[in-house]
Structures are given as C-alpha cells and as structure tokens.
Amino acid sequence: SQQGEEDPQALSIQEGENATMNCSYKTSINNLQWYRQNSGRGLVHLILIRSNEREKHSGRLRVTLDTSKKSSSLLITASRAADTASYFCATALYGGATNKLIFGTGTLLAVQP
Amino acid sequence: DVKVTQSSRYLVKRTGEKVFLECVQDMDHENMFWYRQDPGLGLRLIYFSYDVKMKEKGDIPEGYSVSREKKERFSLILESASTNQTSMYLCASSRGQSKYSPLHFGNGTRLTVT
C-alpha cells in the first residue's frame, strides 16, 4: 500500500508563480524527503525534513511538516520552466529497516513559459 | 558526485525469458535498492541490500530475485519474464546505516515484455 499520497496529481502554472504540492502519509515517520524526476530520468533528492522539524528551506524550496496531521507540503517559489518535472515525497518509517523509503504517487508539475 | 549506472536504458524481452538488470554505483555505498515505477502507482520497492551477499524483500518481490556479489553491483533478475513486469526499473544507492542518507538513483531501465 502507498505510504505517501501527493496532491494534486497534476499542476500547471505560469513561470514566476509559486507551486505548492502536498503529501499525506499514514504511519509514524523518522523523516520525509522530496525528490524530483525529470521526464525519462531517475529521481534526484531535493530536501529532507526530520520528524522533529516543522519547516525547512533550501533555495527556492520550502518544506513544511505537520506530524499531527501526517502531512507535508513542498512550495517552489518563483517557478521556472526548468522546474517542470514530477515531484515525489518519500517517508522513512519510524523504527524498522534502515534507510528504506516508501514513495508516494507523485505530482506532475508543468511550468508554462 | 555519486554515479549510479544502469546498464540498459531500454530492453525488449519475450515472455518466459530470463532477464538481468544490472546496476553499478561508484561511491562505495552500503545500501542498494531496486524499485519499479508504474503510472499512478509511484515507486514500489522490489528488493534491497545492506551489504554484500545480503538481501531483503521489499513490498513486491514476487517474480524477482537479486544478487549482490560485490559491493558496487546489484543485479535484479526476472526468472521468467511476464507481460505484467513491463515497467520502468530504477536502481538506487545510499550510504551507511543512517535514515537521513538520501537515495541516489540511476536513470532507469524501461523494460518491455512481449
């Protein structure tokens, strides 16, 4: 079963706008990570947020985590055409096997120039 | 930069064939993973390995096996390929025992079974 579910499944915006993607999960986590996948390529790690953190920034990326609601959001500010990709959240479960990540179904972001 | 190399970008095989997917990483990572990716289902973990000759089942191991004879190489084996194994296969690696180590992915192998 999927631990992470992203919302929306697809998002289309204009260059310069902000893009927000959400991720919900089901069980207690150690950390949550976001990855980007360009078409036909592998995934690239973007950012990690630990279960005791509420917000984290990296460049134009802002991630929030609400463990009481079991949800996270990824905000990309001032989007560019090059941000067009699929974005996945992945959860590392509390306890259990080391470094085993469970991925969600992804959000397809299209940034129109 | 970590490089994870998958030997083939595209493969076409016939039903019943034995298929080998190879993955090599160059950063001395302890952990290696095989995922398959299907539309609407995201990435699902097939098998993973924390050390040479060690393997553990992921969420969907049926119809697959793996081999890790050397630290840098992790092979996925389809013993008798079936059409429902047509998919994108992604290999990944990560360092050490920490849950905070990110995964580094290869570019994937798109397998078609006819």
Side-chain angles (χ1 to χ4, degrees):
Chain A
S1 62
Q2 294 297 319
Q3 163 76 332
E5 304 257 346
E6 282 92 340
D7 169 53
Q9 290 188 333
L11 179 62
S12 182
I13 59 174
Q14 297 295 124
E15 214 167 20
E17 294 180 339
N18 296 342
T20 299
M21 289 158 269
N22 303 297
C23 169
S24 60
Y25 57 91
K26 298 174 183 173
T27 59
S28 295
I29 62 171
N30 176 282
N31 67 79
L32 186 144
Q33 303 177 29
W34 285 90
Y35 288 77
R36 184 187 74 227
Q37 183 181 35
N38 291 97
S39 180
R41 309 299 293 269
L43 280 72
V44 174
H45 180 260
L46 294 176
I47 194 166
L48 179 152
I49 186 165
R50 301 184 181 212
S51 59
N52 61 353
E53 296 176 315
R54 292 297 167 256
E55 187 170 315
K56 199 159 183 183
H57 297 256
S58 176
R60 293 184 296 113
L61 304 180
R62 173 182 166 237
V63 171
T64 62
L65 179 65
D66 186 336
T67 53
S68 67
K69 295 181 179 178
K70 292 186 169 58
S71 67
S72 173
S73 67
L74 172 68
L75 169 67
I76 304 174
T77 60
S79 63
R80 305 166 183 169
D83 295 327
T84 294
S86 292
Y87 292 82
F88 294 86
C89 68
T91 50
L93 302 185
Y94 181 79
T98 303
N99 212 339
K100 175 183 170 182
L101 291 183
I102 299 178
F103 284 81
T105 52
T107 292
L108 177 60
L109 173 66
V111 181
Q112 310 297 334
Chain B
D1 264 358
V2 175
K3 191 166 185 183
V4 179
T5 302
Q6 294 184 231
S7 54
S8 303
R9 288 301 307 275
Y10 301 94
L11 272 180
V12 180
K13 297 291 182 181
R14 295 202 180 275
T15 301
E17 278 192 78
K18 190 170 186 176
V19 181
F20 294 85
L21 302 183
E22 307 287 348
C23 175
V24 177
Q25 50 95 4
D26 67 357
M27 283 301 290
D28 202 36
H29 281 175
E30 290 79 8
N31 311 310
M32 297 189 75
F33 306 82
W34 277 106
Y35 288 88
R36 66 176 281 177
Q37 183 178 18
D38 301 286
L41 297 178
L43 278 74
R44 292 179 291 166
L45 182 62
I46 305 171
Y47 267 97
F48 56 103
S49 170
Y50 294 142
D51 201 352
V52 176
K53 296 190 186 295
M54 178 275 176
K55 60 185 178 184
E56 287 198 30
K57 293 179 180 179
D59 298 318
I60 53 164
E62 297 77 19
Y64 303 95
S65 62
V66 290
S67 172
R68 194 165 181 201
E69 296 295 320
K70 295 184 177 181
K71 191 174 185 180
E72 67 270 19
R73 186 180 297 270
F74 193 35
S75 302
L76 179 69
I77 304 156
L78 286 65
E79 296 290 342
S80 177
S82 63
T83 55
N84 62 14
Q85 292 178 310
T86 292
S87 186
M88 170 72 94
Y89 290 87
L90 293 164
C91 175
S93 71
S94 69
R95 180 178 301 283
Q97 301 299 310
S98 170
K99 290 198 175 204
Y100 304 111
S101 297
L103 267 59
H104 299 265
F105 282 85
N107 281 327
T109 295
R110 187 167 293 282
L111 172 67
T112 301
V113 182
T114 61

